[in-house]
Amino acid sequence: MDGRIETDERDAAASAPASPSHQDEVTLPVDGMTCANCAGRVEKAIAGLDGVAEVDVNLALNSAHIRFDTDKLDTARIAATIKDAGYSVPQQQLSFDVDGMTCANCALRVEKALAAMPGVTSASVNFALERADIEVLPGKANDAAVIKAIEDAGYHATSRNKSSGADQDADGKSASGKLDKSLVLLAVSALLTAPLVLQMVWMNLGVTYHLSAWVELALATPVQFVIGHRFYKGAWAALRHRSANMDVLVALGTSAAYFLSVYNMAVGQPGEMHLYFEASAAIITLILAGKIMEERAKRGASAAIRELMALRPRRARKLVEGEGEQDVAIESLTVGDIVRVLPGERLPVDGTVVAGESELDESLITGETRPVARVAGDGVVGGAVNGTGRLDIEVRAVGDDTTLSRIIRLVEKAQTGKAPVQKLVDRVSSVFVPIVVVIALATLIVWLLMGYGAEASIVAAVSVLVIACPCALGLATPTALVAGTGSAARNGILIRNFEALEQAHNVDTVIFDKTGTLTEGTPTVRDVCAADGMDRNEMLRLVAGVQAASEHPLARAIVSLAKDENIVLPEIEDFKGKTGAGVLAKVDGHAVAIGTEALLTDQGIQSLSDKVATEIKQHESEGRTVVLVAIDGAFAGYITLEDRIRESAKQAIADLKARGISSIMLSGDSQDVASHVARELGLERGEGRIRPQDKALEVEKLRKQGRRVAMVGDGINDAPALAAADVGIAMGGGTDVAMETAGITLMRSDPALVSAAIDISIATRRKIAQNLFWAFAYNVVGVPLAALGVLSPAIAGAAMALSSVSVVGNSLTLRRWNVRRQKSGE
């Protein structure tokens, strides 16, 4: 019986139609589905794709199983469709260092190879940083598979995904070692090439002495095939993968010059031979020198990341009860441990000071040059330098969760992004080398037809091959982006992506939140005014008891006053918050309402007396915030609070106005308070009684009017408005919400950094435009000149080498940018 069933199953399997070889199945995790309607929406969106044969969305498992035609569809398109439907596919991010790329076309080939991998939804290869970043569906690829794909494309890769600070240092040493090896090769190449070039100089000066052909051959051969081996290796790898890059041009050009010389030696008569060994050797030497300078310049452009990584200490002084201090690795620390930091040392972790006081230099994290005082209870950031005091710090974040690690990830993400114009450059680079080869062949043929002879024709074609430079095109955008975002990071401005840079350049209207943005965000109580028949201290006790359950800055100020007056806070019940209006609770049997007049009206409390209304209006006209209090359904009094305007706020608004940018303030305070602050700062207008959700509506309203809007807030209650704006700018602290919501994060609460962020975006875009202009212009002018025979091969090689260096050097001028220089108008 069992055997019969087994036979039937085999027969059925044999008779079933074979699954088409171009079909594949994938199961994708889907985040954000909350009901069957969500699952149906995702299923419908995927089913609408051309090439989907079957789709099953499982709400319980939060997954989608899809069978599809790989000729028509890939997982990246499916993941994008799920995202367009309002949901997301969680993805893993992997990064790799790629060695062996010589031009933008190499980067493009690696990018295509990675994008073709199963499960990869996006791939970005940065030629300037020699780095590849991919987003891949969980479990669909690992380091080994990605490295194999890169190596199959003809390059070498190492993973960055589990790198520690030590690993990064090792990478830096490895890069330095590679640079040292290149310098040795350059020195040898220059020594061998010098006699060949000097011979040409002597001849131009009238000296008839020249080296024998065999000596020239002996000098040029090691340069061509030993020093120049890297070009042959790169060219072969490119051609093997049916592609072409800069190495192909160099190998073709120098080989033509070298073998033409060998041919002339074989068939010519002594003293009558035209040899071009100096051209082939000089081209290789000059291009190698250019590559070394280019490498040094690229490392300079990306120095910001290395500087940030260098801030991370590897060891910490951990305090262990009963055992004293222990020297431990950073990786062994956990949240709650206590570490001791001595004067002059770098803080190893994010934490809270539990003992001691000192001043910290946080300049490489926040851009603030002045030391910041820190005492017990204050939060501190890993990487800061301790001043003259000893601090004991309770660890609150370690590893990838620290502020410094998040900053590094944010800067890396911005630097590995691509500008929209880069897509055009990539398309040009993909056909650039083949076009140059065609032009070189055309030059050869035209010169031959014009009767110039094989020798002169080959020399002109060689000049075309070696002057064309795809490297300059490939480096134009990424080096400017790396240098610009790096300089911004050093000055406390974290730019999340190129889109933020692009939009910041166009901003014509800036909306500011008031509390914590234009003001210091630490209000203090000025007056506690109880109504007739109400005891002032009793009112403060009840109000402080309710406010102790709130994290609002005004609430903290009231609680702080009660504690200063040694008032014991009571227990509360039924706490309720009314967004933008106030709070309600029961305290010792009393119903307490604290907030705006609208909140009291909603609770059935009659309007305020004319006397109280006049007093409140006077306070608000002077910029104070007034909090109304009702107890058991009756008006009980009010509390006034002051929040000082930041010192730099007025100058920040003036700077924006000088750039033709309008400034608007939105505040939850009364209209009188908002108007007072607007007048003080010179704002275009100040709007009061604005709830957090209304800020996003105001942003959308301005955008519909055709304005390009930047929203500046604290990144928490302003998150909806930050997301709705063309550019979201989160101020101070580098919180998770700020970094995830805003396109730009300011690492210190200084409104002056808003105009600085716009300035660095303008400066970076200007450099990109300059670089692209010169890169295109160089090739557009240089190739025809070479084809006309105006440039010799050696001069063409020198020009090729210098073109890339000049583009990178232009980008490096952004490293000099800083906020202080910008303020002084330098």
Side-chain angles (χ1 to χ4, degrees):
M1 182 71 177
D2 292 341
R4 211 167 42 245
I5 293 175
E6 187 177 336
T7 303
D8 291 344
E9 287 177 346
R10 283 199 301 268
D11 291 343
S15 63
S19 178
S21 60
H22 54 259
Q23 287 216 341
D24 193 12
E25 295 186 29
V26 64
T27 300
L28 303 180
V30 181
D31 281 351
M33 295 191 299
T34 58
C35 63
N37 192 39
C38 295
R41 184 175 174 184
V42 173
E43 192 166 295
K44 183 178 179 182
I46 297 173
L49 290 171
D50 183 26
V52 171
E54 182 183 336
V55 58
D56 178 30
V57 178
N58 190 312
L59 177 62
L61 297 178
N62 284 321
S63 67
H65 182 80
I66 308 105
R67 185 161 57 88
F68 61 98
D69 186 337
T70 55
D71 290 341
K72 298 180 179 179
L73 200 58
D74 57 22
T75 51
R77 175 80 184 282
I78 297 171
T81 300
I82 294 172
K83 184 178 180 181
D84 291 341
Y87 305 91
S88 63
V89 177
Q91 297 176 37
Q92 182 182 8
Q93 293 187 337
L94 300 175
S95 298
F96 301 84
D97 290 317
V98 182
D99 189 27
M101 296 189 297
T102 58
C103 66
N105 206 30
C106 298
L108 195 59
R109 187 161 81 249
V110 175
E111 195 168 284
K112 287 180 178 178
L114 293 176
M117 291 183 66
V120 171
T121 59
S122 72
S124 175
V125 178
N126 190 304
F127 172 47
L129 294 177
E130 296 183 326
R131 172 172 167 165
D133 293 88
I134 66 171
E135 289 188 350
V136 60
L137 301 173
K140 291 295 179 180
N142 55 28
D143 285 0
V146 176
I147 289 172
K148 184 177 185 303
I150 294 173
E151 289 180 344
D152 286 346
Y155 304 91
H156 177 68
T158 53
S159 173
R160 300 170 57 95
N161 301 310
K162 296 179 181 178
S163 59
S164 62
D167 295 327
Q168 295 295 348
D169 286 350
D171 291 344
K173 291 175 183 175
S174 173
S176 298
K178 190 169 70 173
L179 205 59
D180 291 341
K181 182 180 177 182
S182 295
L183 286 171
V184 172
L185 290 175
L186 175 62
V188 173
S189 186
L191 284 173
L192 294 172
T193 304
L196 298 172
V197 175
L198 286 173
Q199 176 183 246
M200 298 300 298
V201 174
W202 296 336
M203 292 175 66
N204 289 330
L205 293 176
V207 179
T208 57
Y209 173 78
H210 60 81
L211 301 171
S212 73
W214 290 103
V215 171
E216 288 191 37
L217 177 66
L219 291 171
T221 299
V223 175
Q224 184 70 37
F225 298 108
V226 178
I227 310 297
H229 175 259
R230 58 186 288 172
F231 301 113
Y232 284 106
K233 182 180 177 182
W236 170 245
L239 294 173
R240 189 161 50 90
H241 291 87
R242 296 183 298 279
S243 181
N245 59 8
M246 185 206 77
D247 291 328
V248 172
L249 298 179
V250 176
L252 278 175
T254 58
S255 296
Y258 178 86
F259 287 110
L260 175 61
S261 301
V262 172
Y263 174 79
N264 285 345
M265 279 182 64
V267 301
Q269 297 296 322
E272 298 179 3
M273 294 180 290
H274 292 110
L275 304 181
Y276 301 94
F277 287 122
E278 83 286 342
S280 63
I283 289 168
I284 289 174
T285 302
L286 289 167
I287 291 175
L288 182 58
K291 280 292 173 188
I292 290 172
M293 288 188 285
E294 177 189 309
E295 188 64 32
R296 285 179 176 272
K298 287 195 295 185
R299 284 179 60 78
S302 59
I305 288 289
R306 293 195 303 279
E307 289 174 4
L308 288 170
M309 287 177 173
L311 297 181
R312 300 188 290 197
R314 300 180 191 174
R315 313 285 298 178
R317 193 177 283 102
K318 180 181 175 181
L319 296 184
V320 180
E321 190 173 351
E323 299 181 25
E325 298 178 7
Q326 289 185 356
D327 183 58
V328 300
I330 293 294
E331 293 78 13
S332 67
L333 292 175
T334 58
V335 174
D337 287 342
I338 305 296
V339 296
R340 176 163 290 171
V341 183
L342 300 182
E345 292 183 340
R346 225 175 255 289
L347 274 61
V349 292
D350 287 5
T352 303
V353 178
V354 294
E357 58 181 62
S358 185
E359 289 187 333
L360 302 184
D361 177 1
E362 300 176 347
S363 58
L364 275 174
I365 302 166
T366 65
E368 177 57 66
T369 56
R370 291 175 297 181
V372 183
R374 294 289 185 243
V375 298
D378 287 345
V380 292
V381 180
V385 179
N386 189 19
T388 57
R390 188 182 76 176
L391 296 176
D392 290 347
I393 299 168
E394 181 180 353
V395 178
R396 71 162 187 256
V398 293
D400 290 340
D401 295 328
T402 62
T403 299
L404 185 57
S405 292
R406 295 204 308 272
I407 291 172
I408 290 171
R409 287 200 302 273
L410 195 68
V411 175
E412 284 185 327
K413 183 176 180 181
Q415 292 188 343
T416 54
K418 286 193 175 184
V421 71
Q422 186 66 30
K423 295 177 182 178
L424 171 63
V425 174
D426 287 345
R427 286 197 296 271
V428 172
S429 297
S430 65
V431 297
F432 184 87
V433 175
I435 289 174
V436 170
V437 172
V438 170
I439 293 174
L441 287 173
T443 300
L444 175 66
I445 294 169
V446 170
W447 276 59
L448 286 172
L449 293 175
M450 292 177 66
Y452 284 101
E455 191 171 308
S457 302
I458 290 173
V459 170
V462 168
S463 296
V464 171
L465 290 172
V466 297
I467 198 170
C469 188
C471 300
L473 286 173
L475 291 168
T477 299
T479 52
L481 192 59
V482 167
T485 54
S487 290
R490 278 195 295 269
N491 285 273
I493 302 168
L494 302 183
I495 299 170
R496 190 179 182 192
N497 49 42
F498 187 84
E499 286 72 22
L501 262 182
E502 183 76 16
Q503 294 298 329
H505 169 266
N506 297 317
V507 164
D508 56 28
T509 304
V510 177
I511 298 177
F512 289 93
D513 174 46
K514 181 179 81 73
T515 305
T517 301
L518 294 175
T519 63
E520 293 183 351
T522 53
T524 55
V525 176
R526 180 181 173 92
D527 295 302
V528 179
C529 303
D532 294 340
M534 184 70 204
D535 180 70
R536 182 252 186 205
N537 287 347
E538 176 62 9
M539 184 185 82
L540 179 59
R541 185 181 78 87
L542 296 176
V543 170
V546 176
Q547 296 286 41
S550 172
E551 287 298 318
H552 195 282
L554 299 180
R556 290 199 296 268
I558 294 171
V559 172
S560 177
L561 175 65
K563 289 181 177 178
D564 289 344
E565 295 185 6
N566 297 317
I567 294 175
V568 178
L569 303 185
E571 296 293 326
I572 66 170
E573 300 175 353
D574 299 333
F575 178 88
K576 295 178 182 177
K578 300 286 186 179
T579 304
V583 293
L584 306 166
K586 288 187 177 179
V587 189
D588 292 345
H590 298 287
V592 180
I594 308 163
T596 64
E597 186 174 355
L599 176 70
L600 270 59
T601 302
D602 288 344
Q603 301 302 308
I605 298 169
Q606 295 180 352
S607 59
L608 305 176
S609 67
D610 290 342
K611 176 177 177 294
V612 171
T614 301
E615 290 175 1
I616 290 173
K617 192 169 184 63
Q618 179 62 33
H619 284 300
E620 290 180 338
S621 68
E622 295 173 3
R624 301 185 193 103
T625 301
V626 179
V627 176
L628 305 180
V629 181
I631 299 175
D632 295 329
F635 176 71
Y638 61 88
I639 299 174
T640 66
L641 302 98
E642 285 183 325
D643 188 6
R644 287 189 301 175
I645 294 173
R646 293 187 185 278
E647 291 181 7
S648 61
K650 191 168 187 176
Q651 184 59 48
I653 302 303
D655 289 343
L656 291 173
K657 188 175 291 185
R659 291 164 173 76
I661 299 173
S662 301
S663 300
I664 298 169
M665 184 188 73
L666 304 180
S667 172
D669 274 324
S670 70
Q671 184 58 52
D672 286 338
V673 172
S675 297
H676 172 78
V677 174
R679 285 194 302 272
E680 286 287 310
L681 296 178
L683 291 158
E684 182 180 302
R685 60 187 171 94
E687 300 291 340
R689 298 293 184 219
I690 302 292
R691 297 174 299 173
Q693 59 267 37
D694 294 334
K695 293 179 182 178
L697 296 175
E698 182 67 21
V699 169
E700 290 293 351
K701 177 182 173 183
L702 289 169
R703 292 185 68 196
K704 287 178 181 177
Q705 294 173 4
R707 297 208 193 184
R708 301 294 181 89
V709 181
M711 174 68 201
V712 186
D714 62 15
I716 300 173
N717 63 334
D718 296 313
L722 288 169
D726 292 294
V727 182
I729 303 177
M731 284 192 63
T735 63
D736 286 331
V737 174
M739 289 188 176
E740 290 304 317
T741 306
I744 298 174
T745 299
L746 309 180
M747 290 306 295
R748 64 181 189 272
S749 298
D750 183 357
L753 290 182
V754 175
S755 59
I758 294 173
D759 287 336
I760 187 60
S761 77
I762 293 172
T764 302
R765 287 188 80 257
R766 186 183 297 125
K767 287 298 176 189
I768 290 172
Q770 290 172 358
N771 287 347
L772 288 173
F773 171 79
W774 287 114
F776 277 106
Y778 164 83
N779 285 291
V780 168
V781 173
V783 171
L785 287 177
L788 292 171
V790 176
L791 302 175
S792 70
I795 294 174
M800 177 188 186
L802 291 175
S803 65
S804 297
V805 176
S806 62
V807 164
V808 179
N810 187 46
S811 297
L812 279 180
T813 59
L814 283 171
R815 292 193 66 199
R816 298 201 301 267
W817 184 93
N818 61 59
V819 173
R820 292 179 297 282
R821 185 187 296 269
Q822 203 66 27
K823 286 180 179 178
S824 64
E826 295 180 33

